[in-house]
Amino acid sequence: MNVERRARPGIPVPVVVLGSLGAVFFVVPFVGLIARAPVRSIPDLFADDGVRAALVLSLVTSVITTGFAILLGVPIAWLLARSALPGRRLVRAVCTVSMVLPPVVAGVALFLALGRRGVIGGPLDDAFGVSLPFTTAAVVIAQLFVAMPFLVLTVDAALRALDPAAEEAARTLGGSEWYVFLRVTVPSIRPALVSGIVLTWARALGEFGATITFAGSLPGATRTMPLATYLALENDTDQAILLSLVLVAVSFAVLFGLRERWVGAAFGARP
Amino acid sequence: MSGAVELDDFRVELDLEVERGETIALLGPNGAGKSTVLRAIAGLVALAHGRIELDGAPWDSGDVFLPPAERRVGAVFQSYRLFDHLDARENVAFGLRARGMRRRAARASAEAALDRLGIASVADRYPADLSGGQAQRVAVARALVTEPDVVLLDEPMAALDVSARSAVRHELAGWLDGVAACRVLVSHDPVDAHALADRVVVLEGGAVTQRGRLVDLAAAPRTDYVADLVGTNLLRGTLAGGALHVAGGGVVHVGAHDAPDGPVIATIRPAAIALHREHPEGSPRNVWLAEVAGVDRADGRVRVRLTGAVDLVVEVTTEGFASLATDVGDPIWASVKASEIGVVADA
Amino acid sequence: MHRSRWSTVGPVVAIALALAVTACGSSDDRLVVFAASSLTDVFERLESDFEAEHPAIDVVVNAAGSSSLVAQLAEGAPVDVLVTADTDTMSDAVAATPTIGEPVTLVRNGLVIAVERDNPLGIGSLGDLADVVVVLAAPQVPAGAYSRSILACAGVAVDPVSLEQSVRSVASKVALGEADAGLVYRTDISDDLDAVEIPAECQVAAEYPIVLLDDTPAARQFLAFVTGADGARVLADEGFELP
């Protein structure tokens, strides 16, 4: 017993110290939030139409965004990782930059592209009368713009690191490119894919700057939880705290509710 | 197929013809290009020039390149490459389903295939839970169940325990026998060729050095590698007046032959060489002093490597070796009758 | 042994120092001013004019929505001078923290309808707002509350596409052309915008109270500067009404 304990590699002390400090750094704000929560007001909170609307809007838009992110992001990643299209490096760089961009700047950029006077939005409005800003669709677009790169870059990296051996075997067995991708490639990168999806959803749920700039803030249509929380901070700190807690609780519930088999693989457990 | 495959700086050129129902073995040292040839046949890499055809229909030629999915090829890879996220049955069914078979029918065929290979019981297990032998059978079943026109086997025995190999080799021969396809086997082990192949093609450094039946190769190896392969001694030198002068400085007296004077290849079977502690008396005209460089014991036999004027591998019985009471580093005398030495002109 | 202890303590000490350095508060030669967001530009000028006369003093202006300023104040932010956009928020501030003296009115401001430069849609009155794309400040923000009362006074029912966090956002959305009109402070009209006046009977006189929160010589000097003749000149120049 003694020998085994000595044999297991220890963790250097600086790592333990810094790691613990880091963990505390993450945990303390949540503890603070819970400690300050005015528990008495919780039932009132959910009776408030505005709060319910914001919660539903946040959940619905973040899920739709994640769906689009998978639909568009996986093909982008496939092209980046596997094709010989020119400009791949540029596209990869642009994806990274849009993650680094301050979200409000992203919102302004979306205006310039898709707004009433925008490069694409202008003609769209003139021809079809379709105006995107200030709509719920705009919320999804704003979230998609900032969150999709997470999925693209995660899947791109996973595809590039993938050993082509299994895919080659599948091709010799008669699998078309599409069949091999769905039946062999995607299952092989499942941990990266899942973690990419989770990150994307989380980023979309918490999105604020681009949303408030491009989609505006109207209860029910475009005022998501983060926007509602920030507005509540203006004159009702208690409500802001409660809204924050609700968002935190919902996020925890989703992440733990997802079957361990799926998320656990993403965060390191054996599939 | 006939043509050349180029991969980065490496080039393999060869000409290969295989009949249906026939197995040819592609032998050669590591890096000779054998796996590259298999990959070209499978369609995983394109020919730089030349063509691959099946029954006259082109698979890879100047203007046609059939992707692997459209070639009816069944490949068994050295590392098996089973799909980790599918169980054994689904692995075997993969090729059938990829080609459009319905799920239930594919599963039934897969189970039948697993049964034929004697592993019906592992149908539900995942590759991570299979033994090496079981995994190999699943890989073979997966390749054969689609009834391919060409079967490719890349070092099929390499991943197995040495003790398991002869039994599996025997079984593999049985499974392949019933398959009406062209079969190309890649190996570095001539015993595989012995057991499974009808003809052999030797590939060294990207080019064919010898081809034919294994027995013909054994009788007249053309390169050191082939000689090593078939387990014989090969000496290169210049023939002049009935004596062969080898590079090491030794002289080998040869018997009757049709080779003209000049560069020749001489072969001496290891078992034809005798070892002596003292200079032997008697008839052999070839007597050399050598040093024991290495001793390999196999069942009932001992192979002794000698260095000296002539480098040789000698095979003696275990008892014979024991009676010599010699060991690595000791001097020893080797003798062989001139009539035991085969000579052919070196091309 | 010595080396390994340092390699443990070293990083920890370095981080502690880094944190300490970033947590500076206000000092004698450093002045922290919290001002309502519509005062951003004018206080920038006041800051540079004041620093020109008092080079030893460093003025730091934090401009944001009044209620978020007060929220920060309540959480203990170190502030020397506070200016809010309405008296309600000032009362909240006074309740939250001790002040030096009573708040006084610094300036007044009125609201106008903001439209794109050259008024392409020809908006002439509050009534026209019912038919165009309008953005307003959220009612939780002073400007938003004013907007609501102005529209109620005029009897106009408006369906805004967005209720913004700050009145500056309203202005910028109209300037970008994404909204046709919005209600903003007169002082928020930039070169990209034109103003359409609101009838005097519905006009609101937004009062901006100012109060001293810290009794330092620098703070008193700044307050005197801003409320005195020099400050008045700048404020009037920027479009504010003097009390």
Side-chain angles (χ1 to χ4, degrees):
Chain A
M1 190 61 81
N2 228 358
V3 175
E4 264 182 48
R5 251 193 290 142
R6 265 191 275 132
R8 208 186 324 142
I11 305 180
V13 173
V15 174
V16 173
V17 170
L18 288 174
S20 310
L21 271 176
V24 165
F25 175 72
F26 273 118
V27 171
V28 164
F30 289 104
V31 171
L33 205 57
I34 296 174
R36 278 285 301 269
V39 187
R40 301 162 281 119
S41 326
I42 290 184
D44 299 329
L45 190 73
F46 283 101
D48 186 330
D49 282 341
V51 171
R52 283 209 310 274
L55 190 58
V56 167
L57 188 67
S58 272
L59 288 174
V60 169
T61 53
S62 59
V63 168
I64 293 177
T65 299
T66 309
F68 273 113
I70 298 173
L71 192 65
L72 297 175
V74 171
I76 295 176
W78 191 356
L79 287 174
L80 286 181
R82 295 278 172 91
S83 76
L85 286 180
R88 277 186 349 266
R89 271 206 251 141
L90 183 67
V91 174
R92 198 177 277 135
V94 166
C95 275
T96 317
V97 165
S98 82
M99 278 202 299
V100 165
L101 210 60
V104 172
V105 175
V108 173
L110 283 171
F111 257 146
L112 298 175
L114 300 170
R116 284 198 317 186
R117 307 288 170 78
V119 174
I120 297 179
L124 208 62
D125 193 13
D126 295 335
F128 303 105
V130 169
S131 177
L132 286 170
F134 309 121
T135 58
T136 312
V139 175
V140 171
I141 292 171
Q143 290 178 351
L144 194 63
F145 187 74
V146 298
M148 188 162 69
F150 285 92
L151 189 65
V152 170
L153 293 174
T154 313
V155 173
D156 172 39
L159 285 175
R160 275 185 292 146
L162 190 61
D163 182 355
E167 292 167 309
E168 283 184 346
R171 285 158 64 199
T172 62
L173 286 166
S176 64
E177 297 298 337
W178 195 225
Y179 192 85
V180 171
F181 185 74
L182 286 179
R183 299 302 178 119
V184 177
T185 313
V186 166
S188 302
I189 59 166
R190 200 181 65 190
L193 189 62
V194 170
S195 80
I197 292 175
V198 170
L199 275 176
T200 302
W201 172 76
R203 181 68 187 85
L205 189 71
E207 177 21 53
F208 176 81
T211 313
I212 198 171
T213 310
F214 182 57
S217 175
L218 200 64
T222 59
R223 189 174 289 166
T224 55
M225 280 295 270
L227 269 60
T229 308
Y230 197 54
L231 191 59
L233 262 181
E234 291 286 321
N235 51 9
D236 190 350
T237 324
D238 279 355
Q239 197 187 46
I241 294 175
L242 282 173
L243 287 171
S244 312
L245 273 175
V246 168
L247 203 53
V248 167
V250 166
S251 311
F252 263 116
V254 171
L255 287 176
F256 285 150
L258 280 181
R259 292 175 60 187
E260 234 271 332
R261 198 167 79 91
W262 295 77
V263 183
F267 294 128
R270 263 188 51 124
Chain B
M1 74 173 273
S2 103
V5 185
E6 264 178 43
L7 221 60
D8 296 333
D9 325 305
F10 180 68
R11 192 185 164 88
V12 181
E13 264 205 64
L14 94 166
D15 238 295
L16 202 61
E17 244 186 72
V18 191
E19 301 290 321
R20 281 190 184 268
E22 181 187 27
T23 307
I24 70 139
L26 209 51
L27 300 177
N30 285 333
K34 318 187 290 292
S35 296
T36 312
V37 171
L38 282 196
R39 290 171 63 84
I41 299 175
L44 295 171
V45 59
L47 293 180
H49 72 81
R51 56 192 297 116
I52 301 179
E53 325 183 309
L54 177 72
D55 297 336
W59 273 10
D60 189 346
S61 68
D63 22 81
V64 174
F65 181 81
L66 230 52
E70 293 178 45
R71 304 186 191 196
R72 299 208 51 110
V73 134
V76 180
F77 297 91
Q78 189 170 343
S79 59
Y80 310 141
R81 301 190 186 182
L82 297 181
F83 305 125
D84 294 321
H85 61 284
L86 299 176
D87 64 29
R89 185 191 292 115
E90 289 166 337
N91 260 282
V92 176
F94 189 91
L96 297 171
R97 298 221 56 220
R99 292 191 169 134
M101 195 184 280
R102 311 285 316 221
R103 190 128 171 262
R104 206 170 300 171
R107 286 166 71 89
S109 297
E111 277 166 21
L114 287 171
D115 196 34
R116 273 198 296 280
L117 268 73
I119 44 165
S121 57
V122 305
D124 292 314
R125 286 207 225 153
Y126 283 82
D129 303 319
L130 294 173
S131 73
Q134 292 166 336
Q136 194 218 35
R137 286 164 203 243
V138 174
V140 172
R142 187 176 70 172
L144 296 181
V145 77
T146 56
E147 292 176 1
D149 293 324
V150 177
V151 177
L152 304 172
L153 302 131
D154 194 350
E155 307 268 9
M157 302 295 144
L160 295 174
D161 288 336
V162 178
S163 48
R165 283 184 199 173
S166 26
V168 174
R169 214 176 268 126
H170 188 68
E171 283 181 309
L172 185 57
W175 302 325
L176 289 179
D177 238 348
V179 174
C182 310
R183 308 184 288 253
V184 181
L185 166 78
V186 155
S187 183
H188 62 278
D189 186 352
V191 186
D192 288 346
H194 258 300
L196 302 163
D198 303 303
R199 284 188 293 126
V200 159
V201 172
V202 179
L203 204 60
E204 288 177 63
V208 175
T209 52
Q210 201 164 358
R211 62 171 93 220
R213 294 178 309 151
L214 205 55
V215 297
D216 299 330
L217 262 66
R222 311 225 87 221
T223 68
D224 291 334
Y225 176 76
V226 179
D228 226 355
L229 203 65
V230 297
T232 196
N233 287 294
L234 184 143
L235 302 167
R236 271 204 176 76
T238 319
L239 189 65
L244 170 64
H245 300 262
V246 294
V251 178
V252 180
H253 297 272
V254 300
H257 62 88
D258 341 300
D261 280 0
V264 292
I265 296 176
T267 58
I268 315 176
R269 288 178 309 113
I273 307 172
L275 293 175
H276 318 268
R277 294 206 58 184
E278 309 289 336
H279 193 299
E281 305 303 319
S283 51
R285 288 170 64 202
N286 291 308
V287 177
W288 305 293
L289 179 62
E291 184 185 301
V292 179
V295 177
D296 297 310
R297 289 162 215 270
D299 32 53
R301 288 166 289 137
V302 179
R303 286 172 83 84
V304 186
R305 279 176 287 124
L306 304 179
T307 54
V310 185
D311 290 342
L312 294 169
V313 175
V314 183
E315 197 174 282
V316 293
T317 59
T318 318
E319 299 80 27
F321 186 72
S323 67
L324 287 168
T326 189
D327 204 352
V328 179
D330 289 346
I332 197 147
W333 291 92
S335 74
V336 64
K337 296 192 191 145
S339 56
E340 292 278 4
I341 302 178
V343 179
V344 288
D346 194 358
Chain C
M1 198 47 69
H2 207 82
R3 205 191 325 154
S4 77
R5 206 188 309 146
W6 267 114
S7 69
T8 308
V9 170
V12 179
V13 170
I15 292 172
L17 278 174
L19 286 172
V21 162
T22 53
C24 283
S26 59
S27 62
D28 271 351
D29 293 345
R30 195 165 175 273
L31 200 52
V32 177
V33 177
F34 273 19
S37 60
S38 36
L39 298 169
T40 311
D41 297 332
V42 68
F43 261 73
E44 227 175 80
R45 276 183 65 178
L46 288 169
E47 176 191 342
S48 60
D49 286 353
F50 182 79
E51 282 178 345
E53 279 189 35
H54 301 86
I57 303 176
D58 176 27
V59 179
V60 174
V61 177
N62 176 19
S66 306
S67 19
S68 83
L69 291 176
V70 173
Q72 291 177 46
L73 196 62
E75 293 296 326
V79 187
D80 298 303
V81 177
L82 173 70
V83 193
T84 61
D86 67 358
T87 47
D88 284 341
T89 14
M90 184 51 82
S91 320
D92 292 339
V94 168
T97 192
T99 64
I100 316 293
E102 290 298 310
V104 293
T105 305
L106 180 66
V107 282
R108 293 206 170 81
N109 208 352
L111 269 69
V112 293
I113 304 174
V115 292
E116 240 188 306
R117 188 167 40 185
D118 301 329
N119 199 354
L121 293 170
I123 295 172
S125 68
L126 286 167
D128 294 335
L129 294 181
D131 309 315
V132 295
V133 176
V134 173
V135 174
L136 297 174
Q140 289 91 332
V141 171
Y146 291 143
S147 306
R148 190 180 269 188
S149 68
I150 289 172
L151 289 168
C153 157
V156 179
V158 166
D159 208 2
V161 288
S162 182
L163 295 170
E164 293 291 323
Q165 200 80 10
S166 77
V167 73
R168 282 289 168 112
S169 312
V170 175
S172 70
K173 288 203 160 71
V174 177
L176 272 174
E178 290 309 323
D180 296 323
L183 285 172
V184 302
Y185 292 116
R186 182 171 292 113
T187 50
D188 290 325
I189 300 292
S190 60
D191 292 332
D192 302 324
L193 298 169
D194 270 349
V196 174
E197 290 300 325
I198 296 176
E201 62 268 19
C202 286
Q203 182 57 273
V204 137
E207 273 193 23
Y208 288 69
I210 185 169
V211 76
L212 190 64
L213 292 174
D214 200 12
D215 199 353
T216 64
R220 284 191 177 277
Q221 281 177 307
F222 186 75
L223 187 65
F225 179 85
V226 161
T227 52
D230 298 311
R233 206 177 357 98
V234 175
L235 290 163
D237 195 37
E238 289 285 330
F240 288 93
E241 300 159 27
L242 297 167

